[in-house]
Amino acid sequence: MPEVLRGTGVSPGVAAGPVRSMSGAVPEPPADQRHAGDAHAERARALAALDAVGADLEERGAQAGGEAQDVLAAQAMMARDPGLAGLVTDRIDDGLSAPRAVYEAFGVFRAALSRAGEYMAARVADLDDVRDRAVAVLLGVGAPGVPDSDEPFVLVARDLAPADTALLDPAKVLAFVTRDGGPTSHTAILARAMGVPAVVACGDCMDLRDGTIVLVDGASGEVRPDPTEQVIADAHAAAGARAAALDVTTGPGATADGHRMPLLANIGGPKDVEAALACGAEGVGLFRTEFLFLGRTTAPSEEEQESAYRAVLEAFPSVVVRTLDAGADKPLAFLPPPDDEPNPALGERGLRLFDSHPGVLTGQLRALARAADGLDVALHVMAPMVADAAETRSFVAACRAAGLPRAGIMIEIPAAALRAADLAAEADFFSLGTNDLAQYAFAADRQIGGLARFQDPWQPALLDLVALAAGAATAAGKDCGVCGEAAGDPALACVLTGLGVTSLSMSARSLPLVRAAVAAHTLDQCRRAAEAARRATDADGARTAARAELPGLEPLSL
Ligand code: PEP
Ligand code: MG
């Protein structure tokens, strides 16, 4: 094991603790795997495994309570289904091994569920999870999913799906380290929201053994196995001193010469409100509503949505809510895309999904209008993944019909930035989603760790697209914020200010650094930094050129 493992630091802070790995996919038992001849013993083994899985799921449900308990109880019933047991024993009687027999029996159920309509098809993932748990017991390998642990740990995984992380206990997770994922992957976004250090694209991390103590530095991207007590103490002291220096910066965002730059928070639901307020967010620039409903197999009721939205709208003077952005990196079981999409990131996702589920959009808009009713809040509603003026027009019309007066769009597709003037004529405001804009501009999937360099928001091509959209919005007299992760980089925040954007929205914990960086420069300096960055020919060149124009970053050691 090397002395230091290197990845991309995506959520600052340091933490040390024992590794717990998230076990990967359970292997499919070979199709010709047969038992040694004692069918009676093999049957007993298979049924005991299914029963153990059922009991384990019930126990987890009892611990979790609430809605998770219903989902886990339904899974426990699948494990104990007598029809399934019959299919298993038939196969064992034909000579198949217990793991293979269980695998095939679930396959029969799976095919039936897939054919049984949208709601049942959404249960397939739950069924696969039960199958993997039973096969894992029989093969003697770890069960899939986030590990259980009584003590806090550093979670190491290939990657984390939003559904894995939704149920994480923040008190237990000291840091995240993943082999895949880039700076804008949902592991990164979640880690920043939780205030937990995280390193992604760390190629060797799956070689770390469970129990090894590691020191994770979420700023530098270093993961150090078996650090000495002194190394851990030094790292904590340095991180603490930096955080203390920044804690003193509060107040509305503005450049040194008073040009206002509202600093807003990206949130995933009411649970993030407290941190946003504590970090001095002036409002919410991106409320990712799909985060409220991850792991749900049925659409949330309008009443349930209304109460979640109201809890956020009550807390801020201004909130930008994004309608459900399902698909690709943010799958929602109750809004599934067509089965056979070869490239989900280029498929029916975001706003496009509502073409086949129009009622979900109108329901969400109605719930939003009701949630804001009677509150003193400027509610802005925007759609993700908008491609052209026609989509903009129909989304704005849907908002107006629901009584929502401020309707905007995210600029995440290069075509939308290129023709931003057409879209600005239809929308009330823009918000630049630089994460997806980079993904689509560079044709590089944001979830692939090996392509993380294409997610670097300093790339001059991305800055050009930002300039185009901001320029068109200014010409039309409309606001154009940035809510992608680019806004949380202090130097880049100054460049974005110079490019003409009108607000910056980011993970709450990035706000103090960005506030300090913007306050340390004049608008003219920001403009010069933006011009210098766009003259560069690559991301590193842009970063260096911009920093040379931003002398105020040095005293802040940013
Ligand atoms: C983006 O794409 O930049 C964005 C803010 O949206 P998300 O990261 O949720 O796709
Ligand atoms: Mg996006």
Side-chain angles (χ1 to χ4, degrees), residues 26-30 33 45 97 99-100 134-142:
V26 175
E28 176 182 338
Q33 193 182 66
R45 199 163 85 84
S97 71
R100 183 67 201 178
V135 172
V137 170
L138 289 164
L139 295 177
V141 299

Side-chain angles (χ1 to χ4, degrees), residues 102 184 196 245 276 324 363 378 493 541:
V102 165
T184 60
V196 166
L324 294 169

Side-chain angles (χ1 to χ4, degrees), residues 333-358:
F334 67 89
L335 268 183
D339 273 346
D340 48 357
E341 283 188 344
N343 294 305
L346 303 181
E348 282 185 34
R349 56 161 304 199
L351 182 64
R352 299 168 186 177
L353 256 179
F354 295 129
D355 288 344
S356 32
H357 304 276

Side-chain angles (χ1 to χ4, degrees), residues 189 286 288 322 330 410 412 433-436 446 483-484:
I189 292 168
L286 169 61
R288 291 182 162 102
R322 174 172 77 187
K330 298 181 275 292
M410 290 188 74
E412 309 191 272
T434 47
N435 310 336
D436 276 314
R446 64 194 267 188
C483 65

Side-chain angles (χ1 to χ4, degrees), residues 157-512:
R158 273 197 216 141
D159 203 358
L160 296 168
D164 295 324
T165 51
L167 295 174
L168 278 179
D169 176 357
K172 286 278 175 60
V173 183
L174 296 167
F176 296 110
V177 180
T178 62
R179 189 194 68 179
D180 298 335
T184 60
S185 63
H186 282 279
T187 303
I189 292 168
L190 177 96
R192 285 193 285 267
M194 286 170 69
V196 166
V199 174
V200 301
C202 183
D204 296 327
C205 72
M206 296 308 289
D207 297 340
L208 288 165
R209 288 237 192 85
D210 268 24
T212 306
I213 303 293
V214 289
L215 174 66
V216 180
D217 184 333
S220 69
E222 288 180 359
V223 178
R224 200 174 284 273
D226 302 316
T228 62
E229 288 296 324
Q230 190 57 49
V231 167
I232 296 176
D234 290 350
H236 277 300
R242 195 153 178 264
L246 286 160
D247 264 0
V248 293
T249 32
T250 53
T255 59
D257 54 338
H259 174 74
R260 273 283 283 134
M261 186 51 54
L263 298 177
L264 315 171
N266 291 352
I267 65 167
K271 66 180 183 355
D272 298 331
V273 165
E274 199 183 316
L277 290 171
C279 294
E282 296 171 55
V284 169
L286 169 61
F287 178 0
R288 291 182 162 102
T289 53
E290 62 282 350
F291 277 23
L292 288 171
F293 308 116
L294 293 170
R296 292 277 298 261
T297 47
T298 49
S301 69
E302 284 178 37
E303 291 68 32
E304 188 186 347
Q305 293 190 55
E306 185 186 332
S307 80
Y309 301 150
R310 186 169 262 265
V312 172
L313 297 178
E314 277 169 348
F316 297 95
S318 166
V319 176
V320 183
V321 179
R322 174 172 77 187
T323 53
L324 294 169
D325 184 12
D329 56 321
K330 298 181 275 292
L332 283 182
F334 67 89
L335 268 183
D339 273 346
D340 48 357
E341 283 188 344
N343 294 305
L346 303 181
E348 282 185 34
R349 56 161 304 199
L351 182 64
R352 299 168 186 177
L353 256 179
F354 295 129
D355 288 344
S356 32
H357 304 276
V360 177
L361 176 63
T362 45
Q364 185 172 25
L365 296 179
R366 262 197 309 269
L368 279 165
R370 277 209 301 268
D373 195 25
L375 294 182
D376 189 16
V377 60
L379 168 60
H380 301 68
V381 181
M382 67 181 180
M385 302 294 303
V386 175
D388 60 16
E391 283 187 349
T392 310
R393 199 174 307 126
S394 84
F395 179 74
V396 172
C399 290
R400 301 267 191 268
L404 295 162
R406 299 173 200 86
I409 55 160
M410 290 188 74
I411 303 280
E412 309 191 272
I413 299 178
L418 290 166
R419 300 295 301 210
D422 300 344
L423 281 62
E426 308 287 345
D428 296 325
F429 66 94
F430 287 167
S431 182
L432 280 149
T434 47
N435 310 336
D436 276 314
L437 195 53
Q439 158 164 270
Y440 295 119
F442 292 92
D445 192 323
R446 64 194 267 188
Q447 299 194 90
I448 299 180
L451 300 179
R453 72 191 169 90
F454 290 113
Q455 273 290 317
D456 188 331
W458 281 94
Q459 298 170 97
L462 186 64
L463 301 179
D464 285 354
L465 290 169
V466 171
L468 271 178
T474 308
K478 310 274 168 88
D479 280 343
C480 177
V482 175
C483 65
E485 296 305 303
D489 172 329
L492 192 48
C494 297
V495 166
L496 294 169
T497 303
L499 289 173
V501 311
T502 55
S503 64
L504 298 167
S505 191
M506 64 206 78
S507 304
R509 285 173 179 81
S510 303
L511 284 163

Side-chain angles (χ1 to χ4, degrees), residues 148 170 543:
D148 284 333
R543 199 180 275 111

